[in-house]
């Protein structure tokens, strides 16, 4: 529950950002994700990053960062992102998913 | 959202991520020109992400070969676990979906004054920026008796393709009980764990088909990357099959006798049934010939834009670059290429430049279902690139964790090659 409210809090951070800024920064950050995650829905043994809400994605990344979810690869990735960047990329991927699967 | 799709990216969702990048400028504005030299991981990724991040840039990719065979995962091919075709990727998607002008030719020289890239076949391509990704070259002079002609008898197999095929054939025709001698290079070289992954997977092949055979690693170094993980795995999977001799034991590698198929060290001469000599390395030939290399043999770069410190307007990514703590790996080449593409796009279109996110992940196979990984993040600092975090698999991990890493590695290969070339071959 703490993680849920923390994630919701982070999402509030970006309330005032422009959509275009979000999209450009989100796409650049997502370029980091696509070195390992496919964006056509088929990921095999690597968990997919499509089909999640921005809250779920943010929560998942925070859980990797806090070691609540174990993965040394995702820990390195999430440690390198600021709270704000985690929210931006989560929002970007969630919006992308809406486009991909209406 | 309409403006995202002004350029025709097809239906790929991967392309849609990229189409979100970049300033939306009027199509009538004159196009800046970027020439990318070399279509390996660094070059292909740079071309693709440049195409996606600014529609006002015209991109030409110059690569002599029609296809690229990945060095990563080629040790699985040596072990008989995959085909070379499954590791081979073409440039069709980059040309058709991303509108990149792909030219199969060699580059003769860059003229930084006229700002042109001259092709072997004659034409000169004008540029605003050049991205150079020539990979590695071999310093043959460093090993007496081993030169380019010798690679037809004793392959290096450190560029995937015909060399890898030759080594596989030699392993296949080797008699049971033979010794496979692998000469490992001094630092720095392409893919630090790869010689030891190769020893592991060749040992796996021997165990299935030639169980009396042995592997001898003659190293130019006294220690190697992830040594504890390898030594543990060799004890568990291949007890008594792999022997590693550091430089301090042999006194160093002195010469290769191609006719005798033997390796001479300061202390003794080792005869091989099959030999694999991985020579000392330096930045690819193109970088050597175009003033991009310093006394280290590699290309010094700006840690944020990857612009050469020696030749303004020319950027160097991948194995050839001298990028601080970043190892020479395919993942690093891909990560650098994205940072470089975003920096060039920002410079040519006048948009805001952000500090890059730089990463490395390597999956390494110890056996087909026992793999380890590492994850490193980097950041530009004090004129170079420094490690921020570094996580590596642990020796005591469960078999299930290692199985999972091996399965992940396979999925990673597909995602990564799609990220680079736009599609996967399998």
């Amino acid at each position: 529950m703490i993680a849920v409210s923390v994630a919701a809090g982070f999402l509030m951070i970006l309330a005032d950002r422009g959509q275009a800024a979000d999209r450009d920064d989100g796409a650049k950050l997502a370029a980091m994700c696509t070195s390992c995650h496919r964006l056509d829905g088929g990921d095999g043994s690597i968990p997919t990053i499509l089909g999640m809400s921005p809250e779920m994605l943010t929560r998942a990344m925070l859980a990797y960062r806090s070691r609540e979810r174990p993965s040394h690869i995702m820990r390195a990735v999430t440690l390198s992102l600021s709270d704000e960047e985690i929210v931006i990329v989560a929002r970007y991927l969630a919006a992308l998913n809406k486009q991909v699967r209406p | 959202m309409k403006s995202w799709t002004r350029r025709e990216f097809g239906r790929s969702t991967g392309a849609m991520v990229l189409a979100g990048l970049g300033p939306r400028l009027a199509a009538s504005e004159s196009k800046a020109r970027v020439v990318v030299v070399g279509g390996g991981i660094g070059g292909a990724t740079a071309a693709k992400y440049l195409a996606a991040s600014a529609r006002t840039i015209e991109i030409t990719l110059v690569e002599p070969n029609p296809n690229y065979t990945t060095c990563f995962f080629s040790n699985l091919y040596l072990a008989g676990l995959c085909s070379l075709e499954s590791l081979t990727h073409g440039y069709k998607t980059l040309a058709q979906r991303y509108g990149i002008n792909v030219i199969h030719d060699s580059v003769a020289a860059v003229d930084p004054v006229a700002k042109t890239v001259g092709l072997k076949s004659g034409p000169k391509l004008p540029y605003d920026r050049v991205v150079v990704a020539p990979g590695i070259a071999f310093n043959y002079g460093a090993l007496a008796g081993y030169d380019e002609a010798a690679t037809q008898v004793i392959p290096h197999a450190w560029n995937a393709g015909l060399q890898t095929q030759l080594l596989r054939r030699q392993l296949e025709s080797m008699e049971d009980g033979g010794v496979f001698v692998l000469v490992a290079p001094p630092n720095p070289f392409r893919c630090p764990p790869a010689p030891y992954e190769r020893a592991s997977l060749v040992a796996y092949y021997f165990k299935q088909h030639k169980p009396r055979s042995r592997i001898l690693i003659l190293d130019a170094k006294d220690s190697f990357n992830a040594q504890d993980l390898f030594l543990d795995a060799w004890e568990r999977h291949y007890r008594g099959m792999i022997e590693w001799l550091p430089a301090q034991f042999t006194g160093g590698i002195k010469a290769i006798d191609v006719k005798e198929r033997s390796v001479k060290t300061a202390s003794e001469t080792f005869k091989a049934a099959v030999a694999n000599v991985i020579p000392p390395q330096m930045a690819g030939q193109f970088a050597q010939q175009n003033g991009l290399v310093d006394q280290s043999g590699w290309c010094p770069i700006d840690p944020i834009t990857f612009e050469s410190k020696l030749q303004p307007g020319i950027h160097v990514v991948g194995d050839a670059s001298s990028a601080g703590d970043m190892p020479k790996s395919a993942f690093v080449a891909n990560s650098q290429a994205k940072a470089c593409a975003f920096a060039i796009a920002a410079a040519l279109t006048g948009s805001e430049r952000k500090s890059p996110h730089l990463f490395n992940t390597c999956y390494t196979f110890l056996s087909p279902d026992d793999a380890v990984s590492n994850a490193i993040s980097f950041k530009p600092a004090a004129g170079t690139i420094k490690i921020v975090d570094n996580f590596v698999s642990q020796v005591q991990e469960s078999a299930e964790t290692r199985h999972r890493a091996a399965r992940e590695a396979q999925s990673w290969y597909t995602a990564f090659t799609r990220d680079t070339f736009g599609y996967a071959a399998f």
Side-chain angles (χ1 to χ4, degrees), chain B residues 327-346:
Chain B
K328 301 186 184 306
S329 74
F331 199 109
V332 157
N334 172 278
S335 185
Q336 292 180 346
K338 287 171 183 172
C340 177
F342 296 155
I344 290 176

Side-chain angles (χ1 to χ4, degrees), chain B residues 212-389:
Chain B
R212 294 191 297 116
S213 306
R214 286 175 52 244
I215 295 167
L216 178 64
I217 305 170
L218 297 175
D219 212 319
K221 307 177 288 302
D222 287 335
S223 63
F224 60 90
N225 185 280
Q227 190 166 334
D228 56 339
L229 289 168
F230 282 106
L231 295 179
D232 165 69
W234 294 347
E235 187 60 22
R236 285 187 293 115
H237 295 301
Y238 318 111
R239 188 171 299 165
M241 284 184 85
I242 301 175
E243 191 176 358
W244 172 70
L245 297 182
Q248 61 191 4
F249 181 89
T250 61
I253 295 133
K254 298 298 174 201
I256 309 297
D257 188 328
V258 175
K259 217 167 142 198
E260 290 293 315
R261 221 184 278 268
S262 66
V263 180
K264 190 172 183 292
T265 70
S267 57
E268 69 187 286
T269 297
F270 298 90
K271 179 129 178 64
V274 173
N276 172 204
V277 172
I278 307 166
Q281 292 158 37
M282 54 192 179
Q285 213 183 10
F286 181 86
Q288 306 281 344
Q289 291 166 350
N290 285 277
L292 295 164
V293 166
D294 66 15
Q295 68 286 353
S296 73
W298 305 94
C299 306
I301 46 89
D302 174 277
I304 296 171
T305 62
F306 291 88
E307 186 170 3
S308 167
K309 283 182 174 167
L310 304 175
Q311 301 281 357
I314 304 181
H315 300 244
V316 185
V317 296
D319 291 346
S321 72
S322 180
D325 291 343
M326 295 189 93
K328 301 186 184 306
S329 74
F331 199 109
V332 157
N334 172 278
S335 185
Q336 292 180 346
K338 287 171 183 172
C340 177
F342 296 155
I344 290 176
L348 294 180
T349 62
S351 62
E352 191 193 354
R353 198 187 68 198
K354 297 278 170 88
S355 188
H357 283 84
L358 297 167
F359 271 94
N360 183 56
T361 288
C362 281
Y363 286 98
T364 303
F365 286 91
L366 304 166
S367 84
D369 53 9
D370 182 347
V372 290
S373 61
N374 78 354
I376 317 173
S377 61
F378 306 87
K379 75 170 182 208
T384 183
I385 298 174
K386 294 279 187 201
I387 290 178
V388 181
D389 298 296

Side-chain angles (χ1 to χ4, degrees), chain A residues 23-25 27-29 31-32 34-40 43-46 67 72-73 75-77 79-81 85 92 96 99-100, chain B residues 1 4 13 16-17 20-22 24 49 331 334 338 342 354 357 359 361 363 373 375 389 391 393 407-408 411-412 414-416 418-419:
Chain A
R23 194 174 56 216
D24 284 351
D25 289 352
K28 284 200 180 82
L29 292 168
M32 198 166 62
T34 54
S35 300
C36 299
H37 292 275
R38 280 161 64 179
L39 291 178
D40 58 4
D43 273 76
S45 300
I46 293 178
R67 285 207 172 98
H72 58 256
I73 294 175
R75 181 159 158 81
V77 173
L79 272 176
S80 79
L81 296 173
E85 286 171 329
Y92 179 82
L96 180 77
Q99 284 223 322
V100 176
Chain B
M1 292 297 171
W4 291 34
T13 56
M16 288 174 72
V17 164
L21 290 167
R24 271 141 286 280
Y49 277 80
F331 199 109
N334 172 278
K338 287 171 183 172
F342 296 155
K354 297 278 170 88
H357 283 84
F359 271 94
T361 288
Y363 286 98
S373 61
D389 298 296
F391 299 100
S393 296
R407 290 195 302 271
E408 256 180 38
S411 296
W412 169 80
T414 307
F416 185 76
R418 280 181 193 218
D419 188 43

